[in-house]
Amino acid sequence: MVPFDFHPRTRIAFGPHAISRVGLIARELGFHRTLVVADPGLRAAGHTANVIERLTASGIETFLFEDFGVNPDSTMVAAGAAFAEPLNVDSIIGLGGGSSLDCAKGINFILRNGGTMADYRGYGRASTPLLQMIGIPTTAGTGSDAQSYAVISDPETHMKMACGDPSAAFRVAILDPDLTITAPRHVTAMAGFDAIAHAVETAVTTKRNALSDTFSHQAWRLLSESFERVILHPTDEDARGAMLLGAHFAGLAIEQSMLGAAHACANPLTARFNIAHGLPLAILLPHVVRWNGVVARERYAALMGSPRR
């Protein structure tokens, strides 16, 4: 069997209305002055104000940064770090989809270690541990809330840089399915397909192991059973919860086994054309599965619950 080294770094607070605990959780972690990195679209949905109000009620001073796009690049991250530097923050909260969570991590890298995001491409290049963070996903997609990587685009080369460090993992991930209900249907669909692609690719990669398989297969079960339900019935709370938890499990699988050709091809398309990550994955994954099927047929069959031949 393939060896692995598993060190859970993120506490998971999952369930309806879990967001009501954000102030208490932040206070338990010792937050006092917190940078909130939030998707600009969440303001209209009321999620940003809700989080800030709960933090304020717990005696935590907050500073809001929203100036970034759907595919955060190193320039946006640098702007966030410049905004936060004079504020003397001691903690960061990422609120939103994968763009918010990755941008929060990227800001943390620069705020604590200086330089540019290109300096942290790879893993373990932060000389100073990052500030404590809470991740609050509002889409069921990237699984960034389960990972110790930030994926940041280079605006000049259009390359996506994976920048990882053990301290880049969120200390707590608050997974509240209620927060995903306000996402537009097309956002739900593209985020969901991103999560599905994570489950499928991690299940067949050559780096998979017994632990990643556990997460991949459980993620696939939750996502495949709930994806159509959240598209047809957006307020189905059980389906929303299954998608959110499935996306998190798929993110945990990535930490152990990484991804494959669909993501390798989709990442430059996402960065160059500034499109949501799930769209190129929806186009590419079927072709990659057919290509891989020559050598990975048994792994795909196992994922689907079919007997091995």
Side-chain angles (χ1 to χ4, degrees):
M1 299 182 74
V2 177
F4 61 84
D5 187 338
F6 182 53
H7 183 101
R9 301 182 179 95
T10 303
R11 168 187 165 194
I12 306 170
F14 168 77
H17 315 302
I19 195 62
S20 65
R21 299 165 55 195
V22 64
L24 176 61
I25 290 172
R27 194 168 59 198
E28 288 175 352
L29 292 176
F31 287 20
H32 295 287
R33 295 172 62 84
T34 298
L35 178 70
V36 177
V37 180
D39 182 331
L42 298 182
R43 185 188 291 269
H47 297 321
T48 303
N50 182 29
V51 168
I52 290 176
E53 286 171 8
R54 293 182 183 280
L55 292 168
T56 301
S58 294
I60 299 166
E61 192 170 3
T62 61
F63 307 92
L64 178 63
F65 179 73
E66 300 176 300
D67 193 15
F68 59 94
V70 64
N71 293 302
D73 61 31
S74 54
T75 302
M76 299 172 192
V77 168
F83 170 80
E85 198 276 331
L87 301 175
N88 195 31
V89 298
D90 58 19
S91 49
I92 297 178
I93 291 177
L95 172 67
S99 59
S100 299
L101 305 186
D102 282 354
C103 190
K105 294 176 186 178
I107 290 171
N108 208 345
F109 270 105
I110 305 304
L111 198 59
R112 292 290 283 165
N113 292 273
T116 68
M117 286 309 301
D119 298 327
Y120 306 103
R121 187 172 183 177
Y123 199 79
R125 296 187 177 178
S127 57
T128 302
L130 276 57
L131 298 174
Q132 293 188 104
M133 293 184 290
I134 295 173
I136 310 173
T138 60
T139 61
T142 68
S144 180
D145 42 284
Q147 300 168 39
S148 58
Y149 281 88
V151 180
I152 305 296
S153 298
D154 184 317
E156 295 183 1
T157 65
H158 302 291
M159 292 288 291
K160 280 202 165 187
M161 301 177 290
C163 307
D165 191 82
S167 64
F170 290 107
R171 285 292 301 277
V172 180
I174 299 178
L175 308 183
D176 186 336
D178 294 340
L179 301 184
T180 70
I181 291 175
T182 57
R185 181 171 294 182
H186 73 281
V187 172
T188 296
M190 287 190 288
F193 207 93
D194 188 15
I196 287 170
H198 292 163
V200 171
E201 291 212 285
T202 54
V204 302
T205 178
T206 56
K207 291 185 178 181
R208 71 184 183 277
N209 55 60
L211 186 64
S212 70
D213 266 356
T214 298
F215 290 128
S216 299
H217 284 246
Q218 179 69 349
W220 169 258
R221 185 185 70 79
L222 290 166
L223 295 166
S224 63
E225 292 177 358
S226 304
F227 182 65
E228 186 174 358
R229 287 167 56 194
V230 296
I231 301 301
L232 298 177
H233 308 286
T235 58
D236 185 331
E237 193 171 78
D238 286 342
R240 289 284 183 178
M243 288 295 296
L244 195 56
L245 198 57
H248 187 85
F249 286 166
L252 286 170
I254 294 172
E255 281 284 283
Q256 291 296 311
S257 66
M258 301 308 288
L259 292 163
H263 273 77
C265 294
N267 281 343
L269 294 175
T270 301
R272 179 170 291 277
F273 298 106
N274 197 32
I275 54 178
H277 189 52
L279 180 57
L281 283 171
I283 296 169
L284 291 164
L285 186 63
H287 298 286
V288 171
V289 169
R290 281 193 289 270
W291 178 268
N292 285 344
V294 176
V295 295
R297 180 179 177 182
E298 291 187 358
R299 297 306 309 169
Y300 288 127
L303 192 66
M304 296 295 293
S306 303
R308 296 193 180 190
R309 298 172 186 239

